[in-house]
Amino acid sequence: TLYLFRFFKHPIDSFYELKAGNKGSSLGATIIYFVMFVVYMVSLTSKGFIYQKVAPEDIDYQSITLGYFAISMLFVVCNYLVTSINDGEGKLIHIYKMLPYSMGPAMMSLIIVTIASHFLTHNEVFFLQITNLAGIVWSGLLILLGVQEIHSYTTRDAIKSILFTLLFMLIIAVILLIIIIMGEQLYQFLESVIKEVIRNVTA
């Protein structure tokens, strides 16, 4: 798990070692997934009074939890499928480990912002915004380098791979949304039919 911090200084070497199996592990990656989730939830619910835009009791925790893990796993699966078609060398387990190790800067920025929000005034919001943006951009670059190194791609191929992955994720999300909506409508129709039948039988 602590191997995460090596990616801050030597990302390319770290991704190579991750791919070769010399460093990092599935367990370590899984722990980071959950630690990142906890950090995100704390950031969402425990900022300073000035910066806490949403009351904790109004947050839909179930949707956020489902969304976090669903998006993470969907990226892993979709990237594997996309790169399998485009001669990527990485395995599913490599992508699974690459993603959380790449999220280190975003996680650190959330921790810094959450703590700093209790001490900074509204006039210093620029510092928090820059910190958040830096963490997101840095993690984005690490994901790009990770895809490039894991699959032995050029930078251009890695960018194309990520864009196709995001497109594939969007398509799957839309399909799932349609299925869920149709499922709910079918359930409501069957429920109304059953209630009508019961009402007629017992009348």
Side-chain angles (χ1 to χ4, degrees):
T1 302
L2 295 178
Y3 185 61
L4 168 74
F5 296 101
R6 176 170 165 77
F7 287 82
F8 286 78
K9 292 184 177 181
H10 308 286
I12 295 179
D13 292 341
S14 299
F15 284 122
Y16 175 79
E17 293 171 351
L18 190 71
K19 178 181 177 181
N22 299 328
K23 299 288 184 179
S25 66
S26 301
L27 177 59
T30 302
I31 291 173
I32 296 172
Y33 273 118
F34 282 97
V35 170
M36 179 66 182
F37 174 71
V38 171
V39 169
Y40 175 70
M41 291 303 296
V42 171
S43 175
L44 194 64
T45 61
S46 304
K47 288 190 180 74
F49 177 77
I50 298 176
Y51 298 98
Q52 188 63 42
K53 304 299 183 181
V54 182
E57 58 270 17
D58 295 333
I59 297 174
D60 188 349
Y61 295 100
Q62 184 177 358
S63 298
I64 293 174
T65 303
L66 181 62
Y68 172 82
F69 289 103
I71 291 174
S72 299
M73 294 304 102
L74 194 58
F75 178 88
V76 172
V77 173
C78 289
N79 185 255
Y80 174 72
L81 295 175
V82 168
T83 54
S84 295
I85 298 173
N86 296 311
D87 301 322
E89 295 181 3
K91 299 179 181 178
L92 185 63
I93 190 62
H94 294 151
I95 306 171
Y96 175 81
K97 292 190 291 185
M98 178 273 294
L99 183 59
Y101 282 111
S102 300
M103 293 194 298
M107 183 168 64
M108 292 298 107
S109 68
L110 283 177
I111 294 174
I112 293 172
V113 167
T114 302
I115 295 174
S117 67
H118 290 273
F119 304 99
L120 300 182
T121 66
H122 190 69
N123 294 330
E124 297 165 314
V125 66
F126 180 73
F127 170 77
L128 301 185
Q129 293 174 339
I130 288 296
T131 303
N132 257 333
L133 181 61
I136 293 171
V137 171
W138 195 348
S139 285
L141 290 175
L142 286 180
I143 291 175
L144 175 62
L145 291 173
V147 171
Q148 181 176 338
E149 186 63 33
I150 291 294
H151 299 292
S152 297
Y153 279 166
T154 62
T155 302
R156 181 178 178 181
D157 289 335
I159 294 174
K160 287 171 58 179
S161 170
I162 293 175
L163 292 177
F164 278 120
T165 298
L166 296 176
L167 178 61
F168 197 11
M169 290 173 64
L170 180 61
I171 293 173
I172 292 178
V174 171
I175 293 174
L176 290 176
L177 182 61
I178 293 173
I179 293 174
I180 291 172
I181 294 175
M182 292 180 64
E184 289 180 350
Q185 292 178 344
L186 178 61
Y187 173 79
Q188 293 173 359
F189 171 74
L190 293 176
E191 184 181 31
S192 62
V193 169
I194 293 173
K195 287 181 178 179
E196 185 65 26
V197 170
I198 294 174
R199 187 181 302 112
N200 292 333
V201 170
T202 56

